[in-house]
Amino acid sequence: MTITIDCRMYDSSGIGVYLRGCLPYFLQSDNNFLLIGNSVQLKSFLTYKNVKIINCDVKTFSLKELLFFPYKLLKIINKTDLFYSPFFNIPCGITIPVFTTIHDIIFPDMPELTSKIGLLVRMWFFRRAYKLSKKIFTVSNFSKSRIEHHLGSSKPVIVTYSAIQTMFLEYKANTQKKEIIVYIGNIKKHKGLDYLLDAFYIAKKDGLTHQLLIIGSRENFRSSDTDILKKIDLIGNNSVLFTGFISDEELMAHLSCAALLVQPSLYEGFCLPPLEAMVLGTHALVSDIPVLKEVYSEFPVTYFKNGNSIDLKDKLIELLHKKTFTNITLTEKLKYKYTFDKTVSIILEALKK
């Protein structure tokens, strides 16, 4: 069987992590693969005898992708057996069976994140992907339930949990902890940074001595996010720090040395940072939204009430100021509960059927 995999988002931060984690396990199977994307980024995979790479610079979700996808490329793709997209964008003109991964369907669940026109456009892409796909993959039972709610249940929606990158499992964690709380995420409303800052501000008044480290750059904050910047400035005393752009190695170092990771999300499809933190021996304090209770039900996380800055503050004080927990060590079973090897094996089994 020859499978075409859309790798145009290989270098992105979200879907790219998923794709980079999955690809080696796809290529280790007894199938042949056509990878489309940036040929320079993908050239390391030419060492596999079952791989062919074709350069494609057509932007995802563009008019060219929808209406004018290169005919020469389509001709090659349509000679393969299957087309797999790790996201819900599908080029026009594909005549072979299509399979997609929809990681979440946040916009109809949280329409306040976009405009009415933005929601209509996104829903059009979601419905198009659902219509064109033989099967849909997603990263949690929660996401499956929301996909079926918004798009229907006439097609198979298969859960293939997301996973942690191998380098986190191999990293030698630092047992010397610093008075640092780590937040990984952006400033979009569903990530919960707004009420984390409220909780942190109150906790500092109640005696918390830790700093809050935001993985990312302050310069990336748009002018419309002045409320968050004002809260950061209000906390003052160099209590909120930004890392700027960092490498994976630097991220692992920060997580390994942190006293705590806080994940205040209001909505997620899977959410990797708590797993990455715990693998490196750092406790995770997470909101009690359904997907996090599903994904981390067996893990030694601490939950706080979703969107409740007072409860979050109380948990920060309890865990860090009163020091009611110690560093964690995951069992081998939990460390390897979510791996890309498992993810890809489920996808490949579904493709074969």
Side-chain angles (χ1 to χ4, degrees), residues 4 6 8 34 36-37 54-60 62-79 83 90-95 128:
T4 297
D6 189 343
R8 286 176 292 155
L34 172 65
I36 64 169
I54 295 184
N55 190 66
C56 177
D57 59 3
V58 178
K59 291 184 179 180
T60 55
S62 65
L63 280 176
K64 188 173 182 179
E65 178 187 66
L66 283 173
L67 301 174
F68 308 107
F69 203 74
Y71 174 74
K72 289 183 179 179
L73 185 53
L74 283 173
K75 197 171 180 181
I76 298 170
I77 291 172
N78 288 330
K79 287 181 180 178
F83 182 90
I90 302 169
C92 68
I94 293 177
T95 58
R128 180 176 181 270

Side-chain angles (χ1 to χ4, degrees), residues 264-328:
S265 301
L266 302 171
Y267 193 104
E268 294 283 353
F270 180 89
C271 194
L272 275 173
L275 179 59
E276 293 170 342
M278 287 185 285
V279 162
L280 297 176
T282 297
H283 196 74
L285 175 60
V286 305
S287 59
D288 63 354
I289 57 176
V291 69
L292 295 185
K293 296 193 82 171
E294 172 195 342
V295 172
Y296 295 110
S297 61
E298 299 178 7
F299 288 79
V301 300
T302 299
Y303 292 100
F304 63 88
K305 294 177 183 176
N306 172 33
N308 189 321
S309 57
I310 299 301
D311 190 52
L312 175 51
K313 180 269 298 183
D314 290 342
K315 293 296 195 305
L316 288 173
I317 293 295
E318 180 184 333
L319 293 172
L320 297 175
H321 191 51
K322 296 181 181 178
K323 298 182 180 178
T324 59
F325 78 98
T326 56
N327 296 344
I328 64 167

Side-chain angles (χ1 to χ4, degrees), residues 87-105:
F87 209 32
F88 60 99
N89 60 293
I90 302 169
C92 68
I94 293 177
T95 58
I96 56 176
V98 172
F99 300 80
T100 55
T101 293
I102 298 178
H103 294 256
D104 62 58
I105 192 161

Side-chain angles (χ1 to χ4, degrees), residues 52-239:
K52 182 178 180 181
I53 295 171
I54 295 184
N55 190 66
C56 177
D57 59 3
V58 178
K59 291 184 179 180
T60 55
F61 299 105
S62 65
L63 280 176
K64 188 173 182 179
E65 178 187 66
L66 283 173
L67 301 174
F68 308 107
F69 203 74
Y71 174 74
K72 289 183 179 179
L73 185 53
L74 283 173
K75 197 171 180 181
I76 298 170
I77 291 172
N78 288 330
K79 287 181 180 178
T80 65
D81 298 300
L82 305 169
F83 182 90
Y84 170 68
S85 171
F87 209 32
F88 60 99
N89 60 293
I90 302 169
C92 68
I94 293 177
T95 58
I96 56 176
V98 172
F99 300 80
T100 55
T101 293
I102 298 178
H103 294 256
D104 62 58
I105 192 161
I106 185 172
F107 293 103
D109 278 339
M110 296 188 72
E112 64 272 23
L113 294 178
T114 186
S115 65
K116 288 184 179 180
I117 294 176
L119 178 59
L120 287 172
V121 171
R122 287 172 171 85
M123 287 307 298
W124 185 86
F125 276 105
F126 279 127
R127 292 190 180 104
R128 180 176 181 270
Y130 186 83
K131 180 181 179 181
L132 294 178
S133 300
K134 295 291 184 183
K135 296 177 182 177
I136 305 288
F137 303 107
T138 193
V139 293
S140 64
N141 281 304
F142 170 77
S143 281
K144 175 181 178 177
S145 70
R146 303 314 297 158
I147 290 169
E148 291 177 339
H149 175 77
H150 290 291
L151 302 179
S153 55
S154 61
K155 292 187 178 180
V157 180
I158 302 168
V159 176
T160 60
Y161 285 105
S162 191
I164 191 167
Q165 297 178 84
T166 304
M167 60 184 162
F168 283 85
L169 299 168
E170 297 173 346
Y171 187 82
K172 187 175 180 181
N174 193 330
T175 56
Q176 294 292 105
K177 297 294 185 181
K178 299 177 181 178
E179 288 196 336
I180 294 289
I181 302 165
V182 170
Y183 165 82
I184 302 174
N186 53 44
I187 53 177
K188 294 177 182 177
K189 184 177 180 181
H190 71 283
K191 290 297 185 180
L193 176 59
D194 189 37
Y195 78 89
L196 168 57
L197 290 171
D198 290 337
F200 184 67
Y201 176 67
I202 303 169
K204 294 293 284 184
K205 285 190 169 184
D206 286 353
L208 187 69
T209 56
H210 291 63
Q211 293 176 305
L212 175 62
L213 183 67
I214 297 175
I215 305 296
S217 173
R218 182 180 176 123
E219 286 69 37
N220 287 339
F221 280 29
R222 301 182 300 273
S223 59
S224 59
D225 300 303
T226 53
D227 286 346
I228 285 182
L229 292 175
K230 285 178 182 177
K231 287 183 180 183
I232 292 172
D233 292 337
L234 181 64
I235 295 168
N237 296 323
N238 204 33
S239 294

